[in-house]
């Protein structure tokens, strides 16, 4: 769901509101956040502002003051969104290596610039040859982590039993022929973007491990006993209809729901 404003208490039962604030701003930088606390602490206010909170109010509050703060925060958020939309419109004309003036391509480029601003997972659909990797690279190069690595893997080009070790790496001696430790593509893309082309070509078992890596933000190399944290933005693509791929068992439903945070459909040239 998309929200206009979040009222967020600093003291929550299970974790700090500042941690939640960080997660909110990482996944959706546009949403306005008003922090609420029982302690008028300048240090907490500074940390909240540093992590992107638009305003700050202490308990107990006056309802009129609270409503005024809400209105001011919403106004501030709307101005920020308008500013971002203007910048996106300008960026659309500077996308690397993508040319297109048709209505369909304009929609793709508008959405591309929009999703590039966040770190959310992206699923790119379209026929073979429509430029899905080009779109993935443009998302990376238009995003906040453009200086970090962009790592791509064509899942259809590797035997299914090798994709797991390619993605997650392996320890020395994990299997016959593993004479050295291999980091894997997740760790190679740490801080940047990992693009998985034709993700439906993965086995269901590897898809399950991929889902866990996305959810937990960590990977376990083949032969290892411990998981390694990673900070990777995942972009996947498929030339199949994702709904049909789920129905036929080629794409796990839970993985599809995780990937479909943003979906870009790249039209064929004939359209």
């Amino acid at each position: 769901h998309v929200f206009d404003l979040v009222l967020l208490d600093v003291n929550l039962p299970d974790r700090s509101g500042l941690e939640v604030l960080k997660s909110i701003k990482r996944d959706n930088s546009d949403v306005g956040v008003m922090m609420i606390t029982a302690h008028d602490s300048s240090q907490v206010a500074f940390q909240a502002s540093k992590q992107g909170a638009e305003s700050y109010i202490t308990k107990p509050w006056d309802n009129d003051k609270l409503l005024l703060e809400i209105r001011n925060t919403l106004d501030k958020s709307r101005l920020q969104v308008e500013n971002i939309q203007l910048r996106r419109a300008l960026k659309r004309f500077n996308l690397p290596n993508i040319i297109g003036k048709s209505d369909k391509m304009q929609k793709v480029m508008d959405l591309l610039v929009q999703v590039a601003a966040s770190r959310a997972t992206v699923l790119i659909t379209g026929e073979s040859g429509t430029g899905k990797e080009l779109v993935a690279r443009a998302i990376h190069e238009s995003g906040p982590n453009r200086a970090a690595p962009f790592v791509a893997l064509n899942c259809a080009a590797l035997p299914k039993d090798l994709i797991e070790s390619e993605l997650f790496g392996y320890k020395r001696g994990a299997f016959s022929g593993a004479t050295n430790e291999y980091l894997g593509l997740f760790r190679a893309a740490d801080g940047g973007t990992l693009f998985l082309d034709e993700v439906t070509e993965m086995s269901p078992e590897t898809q399950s491990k991929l889902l866990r890596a996305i959810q937990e933000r960590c990977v376990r190399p083949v032969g290892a006993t411990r998981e390694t944290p990673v900070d990777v933005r995942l972009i996947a693509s498929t030339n199949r209809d994702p709904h049909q791929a789920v129905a036929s068992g080629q794409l796990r439903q839970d993985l599809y729901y995780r990937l479909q945070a943003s979906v870009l459909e790249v039209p064929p040239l004939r359209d």
Side-chain angles (χ1 to χ4, degrees), residues 108 111-112 115 122-126 135 139 262-266:
V108 169
L111 189 54
L112 189 159
V115 302
V122 181
L123 178 63
I124 304 172
T125 65
V135 171
I139 291 171
S262 298
V263 179
L264 273 78
E265 183 177 355
V266 185

Side-chain angles (χ1 to χ4, degrees), residues 247-259:
S248 65
Q250 292 172 308
L251 179 63
R252 287 179 60 106
Q253 188 174 45
D254 48 5
L255 177 59
Y256 171 58
Y257 283 130
R258 195 73 187 187
L259 293 175

